[in-house]
Amino acid sequence: MALVDLFHIKKQYDIKLLLDNVDFHLNEQERIAVVGQNGCGKSTLMKIVLGSEAPTEGKRIINNTIHIEMLSQQPTFEATLTVRDAILNELTELRDAQEEHKKLSNQVAKDFDNKELLSKLESISSFLDHHNAWNLDDKIERILQEFQLKAYENRLVVSLSGGEQRRVALASLVLKKPDVLLLDEPTNHLDVYMVEFLEELLLRENFTLLFISHDRHFIDTIATRVIEVENQGLVSYKGGYRDYLRQKEERMKSLAKSHDTLLKLLKREEEWLGKSVRAREKRNQGRKAKVFELREQAKKNPTLIRKMQIELEREKKSWKGEKTLSKRKMLFDIENLYYTIDQKKLIDNFSTRILQRDKIAIVGINGAGKSTLLKLLLSRLQAEKGHIQQGEFNISYFDQHREMINDEHTLIETFCPNGGDHVDVQGSHMHVYAYLKTFLFPEEYMNKKIGQLSGGEKNRVALALLFTKNVECLMLDEPTNDLDIQTITILEQKLIAFQGALIFVSHDRYFIDKIASKLFIFKGNGLIEESYQTYTEYLETEKEMKTLDSLSKELQSNETKKESIREKKQTKLSYKQQQAYDTLPDEIEALEVKIAQINACLYDPNCYEEKGIAALSEELIQMKAIYEEKTEAYLEVLEIYESL
């Protein structure tokens, strides 16, 4: 069922055309990822779907019964609200529905034949089912834990960092479960474990979702469809990110084949047009117009095909890292490093060596000390214990503050501060226009001041500047934030080709898997583990180990119980145990019959109308609870009996 339809949408700001004659349809339980270069119109499309922005032309049609909500990039909260209150404040409708359901259930229990009450109860039950809001308190507790907000639950939301406030807003929205949820970069400020929890939640509860993300692993896991904003239009691909890449390659080949056919047709029509006399005849004006149309199409196709080809080649090449290593220079020798903040251990007795051409990803939970390690290596912080011995080499550092660029300088001044129009890039002498074109900057941007650029564009400038420095070590703190996927694949290519050491902090699993040959994993409480697995392999292994650990503890608990029973040296059942052993099997069998009868009644309209759905449901819950209790008691006494 379509929940949102956009027909012939055009959106223009002054002279900039973002969307032109676009159709878009969002169906129930679809999860659509929107991709495309920064500034192409992704957020604009989302705002038109939300209804917060009107199209220049076209029509938006939505199902009037649905509720659409969007995660803001910068959420706002009342100054007096704590974290818990802010979440509860967004769940008022669901909590009211729970109270109403309780009240109606009591009324129906006293008045079985009241069809109006039954109808209301069914409606409110469906509402709670749709929002999966029956065990809301448990879900609130779980999300506070998983999003690392439990420690802040009684703090004012406005006292938290921007990233923490976004987590509060995201927590509220996923608990609320609107009919359509719009998310703009939802994985920003989430560590990998939070992202995994979010993925599981979105999939388990069948959200209808429209989202923008540069996290390709998240797109691959979540998306049922990928929409690319391209040349003011939309191109739709079924499936996740890898499906999108495969289908895009097929589309490129199809376009190339169609272009060859077009050129043949154009050649034939051009020959006809060259005869000129017949072309001037009025009845042939349509055919003449078609020739001009074919010419325009022939001009556009090669550009589009080449653009797609470059993007796909970048994606493929960036998986082919250099695997052979010769004898390498030591850059850092780290011995027994120790560092705390406010008595919280971030790094405890960490020793390692970092060599030339090492590509190391620093990963782990938020707040564990990942960026702190970079600052210790840069000598911006001093270790409390241990030492870092550093060789003779140059370092370039990138962080989200973009400290290496000046808002008052133009692009050309930034890259050619001493004049001229050429830059040195990893051993190549390049024209600055050609180099910046590889970072998706058109020539007309050269005289733009940095301060006029968007956040994502500033990040592109800072990253492009990194590779013009003659250094043996790059340190990057969350380099993929605010970048579109096209820029990330360019960055990946540059980093794989870089001959020095690379040390970077990231939560982007797809990016880490492509780039890193080694992991520093911050486990919490100062513990840092080293691994040569891919990050995905490490996370899967970690998950398996947790499952095995849980099973081991369960088995150990069972063995402890058995040992305790043996230690009592019981030679026969006690009076109560014997009574339970004799009577419980019959009681359990009777309960099984009763539960089956209630379930049968719930499927029979004549039966449940007579007895009442609410009363039957309540009775079923009670019967199941008693059944579980008696079964557990019987299994315990049976275990004692068998051990005698």
Side-chain angles (χ1 to χ4, degrees), residues 28 44-45 68 77 173 213 470 487 572:
E28 192 172 9
T44 300
L45 175 68
I68 305 176
F77 297 92
L173 276 177
S213 180
N470 184 21
T487 309
K572 65 176 185 176

Side-chain angles (χ1 to χ4, degrees), residues 133-185:
W134 295 102
N135 56 338
L136 204 51
D137 290 333
D138 291 341
K139 289 173 74 176
I140 291 169
E141 283 301 313
R142 175 89 193 278
I143 209 162
L144 284 171
Q145 292 285 356
E146 296 289 349
F147 279 178
Q148 293 182 18
L149 295 170
K150 184 66 180 172
Y152 309 135
E153 66 177 323
N154 296 315
R155 268 180 60 180
L156 294 176
V157 187
V158 291
S159 71
L160 303 182
S161 70
E164 288 161 347
Q165 288 187 33
R166 259 179 67 87
R167 295 212 299 270
V168 174
L170 180 59
S172 303
L173 276 177
V174 295
L175 285 168
K176 197 173 184 179
K177 197 187 175 189
D179 300 299
V180 176
L181 179 57
L182 311 181
L183 299 175
D184 193 349
E185 295 292 1

